[in-house]
């Protein structure tokens, strides 16, 4: 079990960006399919927050990778 956890931590599935993307996509799909009454301003605030996090973290990760290559 410990070996599985270590492999998971190093895999792409442990990416916080991936889970943020999946969670926000699920949120968008479920609110549309289930017709959950949510204020449009709140909806876009959640989507914008998720996109901002993914883009910001991607930039930071890119700079970190660039620094490691030097």
């Amino acid at each position: 079990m410990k070996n599985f956890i270590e492999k998971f931590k190093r895999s792409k599935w442990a990416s916080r960006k991936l889970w943020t993307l999946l969670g926000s996509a699920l949120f968008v799909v479920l609110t549309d399919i289930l017709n959950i009454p949510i204020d449009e301003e709140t909806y876009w605030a959640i989507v914008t927050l998720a996109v901002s996090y993914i883009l910001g973290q991607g930039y930071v990760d890119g700079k970190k990778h660039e620094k490691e290559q030097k």
Side-chain angles (χ1 to χ4, degrees):
M1 184 68 173
K2 187 176 181 180
N3 192 24
F4 172 77
I5 293 171
E6 289 301 318
K7 284 183 182 179
F8 182 80
K9 285 181 181 178
R10 288 179 276 165
S11 75
K12 297 286 184 189
W13 291 104
S15 169
R16 287 178 285 177
K17 292 184 299 257
L18 174 65
W19 288 109
T20 302
L21 173 67
L22 292 175
S24 58
L26 182 66
F27 167 75
V28 169
V29 170
L30 287 180
T31 55
D32 189 41
I33 290 174
L34 300 177
N35 292 325
I36 298 173
I38 187 167
D39 180 35
E40 185 176 351
E41 188 175 311
T42 304
Y43 176 88
W44 286 111
I46 292 170
V47 171
T48 303
L49 181 65
V51 170
S52 300
Y53 172 77
I54 292 169
L55 292 176
Q57 193 61 44
Y59 178 79
V60 170
D61 290 347
K63 287 295 185 180
K64 182 180 174 184
H65 181 70
E66 184 179 287
K67 187 177 181 181
E68 290 173 355
Q69 295 297 321
K70 290 183 180 181

